[in-house]
Amino acid sequence: MLEALRQIAEELNQTLNPHQMLDRVVSIVQGHLAVDVCSIYRADVTGDNYVLMATGGLDPSLVGRMRLPRDDSLIGYVAKQGKTLVLRDASAHPRNCEFPPLRGDQHYHAFMGVPIMRRRTALGVLAVRDITQRQFTRDEENWLIAVAAELAGALEDEAITAIESVLDTASPHSSRILRGIAAAPGLAVGEVVLPAPEADLDAVPDREPSDVLAEENRFRTAVTQVQADLRSHGAQLAIALPATDVHVLFNAYTLLLGDSHFFEDVRRRIHAGNWAPGALRATIEEYARVFDAMEDAYLRVRAEDIRGLGRRILLRLQVGSLKPREYPKHCVLAGEEISITRIADVPTEQLVGIICNQGSRYSHATILARTLGIPAVVGLRDLPLKQMEGRTVVVDGEQGNVFVEPSPTLLQQFQQTLHRTQDHITELKAQRDLPAITPDGQRISLQANAGLPADIERALAWGAEGIGLYRTEYGFVMSEGFPSEDSQFELYREVLTGLAPKPVTMRTLDIGGDKGLPYFPVMEANPYLGWRGIRLTLDTPGILVNQLRAMLRANAGCDNLRILFPMVSTARQIDEACALLERAREDLRQGGQTVAKPAVGVMIEVPSAVYQIRALARRVDFFAIGSNDLTQYILAVDRGNARVAKLYDSLHPAVIAVIAAIARTARRYGKPVGVCGEMAGDPAAVILLLGMGIDEISMTAVNLARTKAVIRSFTQSQSRRLLLKALRMEEADQVRALLNDALAKAGLDDAITTTQIFQSTLSEDTGSNQTAGA
């Protein structure tokens, strides 16, 4: 029994495809217990039915289609009771319903069902049946309970049930929700379009060329055509983006195509006896394999960039000229991963959303989506892409949800939300120059987060009072190597002069965790607790000094620079960082430059820093709370891990208490404190930040208008009362309900998330669509 359980644990940990994983589990259970049927059921989004997710012994076509009602089936009874049910003859049980016969007229008798529990909630049921009137032993019961416990974490991944729901053609009018990672904010409704089929590099065989020089020329022509494609894409994007951003985004592609080593590697293989497609395939494989072997998610994305470029060259080798494709008016681009060239294929005025199975917040594509203001959701995992073409979806880039084939009721709700939001935004834009002051006179500095020059224009358009967080790592991410001091100077100068005299807070290089550099791989077992932020830059002082020199030079004549050090966990780290800053200033002074000393701040995102505010306050001028990492560390939750991501919530009472304590202590020592994580753009959280006395809030530019509306609607005394109530609560959902109620009473209903809209209409949409399985 232990060996079979170990086998199941290995399958759950190693199998990437959830369908294969569940199929393997039922196969192992069926064989180990020698039963006729083993099945796994999962509760649907309503909780009223249990959907067959995997089976051994039943017709496989029933998977995703057979639904057993909670109130009228043995499966539902087991889930509702939350305990194991063992029956020698299930036919005598009042909840037993008709079941597909195994063969002939034989029916099932013996039954054992175990609830799959997660946080005291039945996610589903693991059940076995047999045609004999067999009595399952206590050991068999305990073993099946252990298997169900192993399954709980995997089955909590809602992608598994959502995928089957998408494919459930028996329920064409029901709405389904897929959950992924929110990569670019916004809400959009559109028609799914899959990228045009690309040439398949893996299918290219080796073949001896009949004419080596002709093959070389053919490859050269294909590369020239792809370069022309990229120039055309760049010109199209330049309509919506500054030229600097376009250059930065396409830099990786143009550098590879212009790389003499890349061209020479392909040419060498052609002359060694392989035709152009085969030589290209082998070269791309060699380049991509290096990145595939790396653990860092960002670096694996770079491998896909290389393969994508290889497929484009191969397509040119195979067909030469390409016909332009027509796209729907409201296009949602879907794929395994979406490259920036795929985004550029679609006219910017028609592209309304992006969804994909893979990807991260820091891929080139998601950075471009944020820059263009296009909502994007990534990390959907096993979305059946081939069956998504032409489907209507709602992309919620705020919460990381995708609503597939929304019902007329739900679609109307979303359309109304979009129109209401647009109308509200128009009203708020008219007030963009009004100060962010509470009705009782408390002023808050509203600033924007940025990482590319286009973000500066957007921040100013939305009325930002400055840049509260400039992510300098974007310039490093988009480069093929560590950027020189001069190239950094040019970028920072553009930002500082574009905002002057408004303040710009530049965070020094912050890589590690979910952010990596393709040319500087850092492979660690636990990167979030590893060599990242100031830890890395203090260990590589040349990188930090070059960056500090570039910042100081760029600040000449602007005097609006503030420098922020990330991932600080000890006071000594600030001493060392400030010493390097002084060294950079001294270097420049010796070179004859007059260098002003900028304000220096610390990012409070590590729990140890929370308890060292007094020591840090003696060394710095301001504090900035990085709510994303701070929440992650306080709650011990990796928000990129689908099994525990639900536990990540910055409105958790513990997180609120910590941030309130930081604000109190900083105020005691006369240091201003700001918040610059996702919490700052959450209208509900903003109420609490007001109550804490936070001095400045920095967020994505598109959230500035609604945040200002919240600030101008709540007095600080109101906010303090709500803060005290929130601190007495025990769960994050209780806090959010309290704050959403306050927002609604203040007439700020647009702050209610699309997820809540979905929940409010779900029962109506699915009430007439409950299929009682046999």
Side-chain angles (χ1 to χ4, degrees), residues 13 32 39 88 105 132 335 352 457 481 563 583 613 621 639 646 650 746 773:
N13 288 326
H32 180 71
S39 301
R88 188 168 183 270
D105 293 327
T132 65
V352 299
E457 294 182 16
I563 294 177
R583 174 178 141 190
I613 296 292
D621 303 299
R639 58 185 179 151
K646 283 183 179 180
S650 57

Side-chain angles (χ1 to χ4, degrees), residues 194 359 429:
L194 301 181
K429 275 188 173 180

Side-chain angles (χ1 to χ4, degrees), residues 272-295:
N274 207 346
W275 64 325
L280 171 68
R281 184 214 67 231
T283 304
I284 292 294
E285 280 178 356
E286 179 185 346
Y287 279 53
R289 197 179 300 120
V290 175
F291 293 99
D292 272 336
M294 298 177 180
E295 294 182 9

Side-chain angles (χ1 to χ4, degrees), residues 216 219-220 223 255-272 279-280 282-284 286-287:
E216 182 181 332
F219 172 67
R220 192 187 302 274
V223 169
L255 280 174
L256 182 61
L257 285 176
D259 183 9
S260 59
H261 294 292
F262 170 69
F263 192 90
E264 183 57 32
D265 284 345
V266 176
R267 197 185 75 85
R268 175 175 51 80
R269 285 184 167 95
I270 291 173
H271 283 264
L280 171 68
T283 304
I284 292 294
E286 179 185 346
Y287 279 53

Side-chain angles (χ1 to χ4, degrees), residues 143 184 186 269 301 332 360 408 516 551 651 687 710 729 738 773:
W143 184 80
R269 285 184 167 95
V301 172
V332 173
S360 77
M551 289 179 180
L651 291 186
I687 299 174
V710 173
M729 292 177 169
L738 169 75

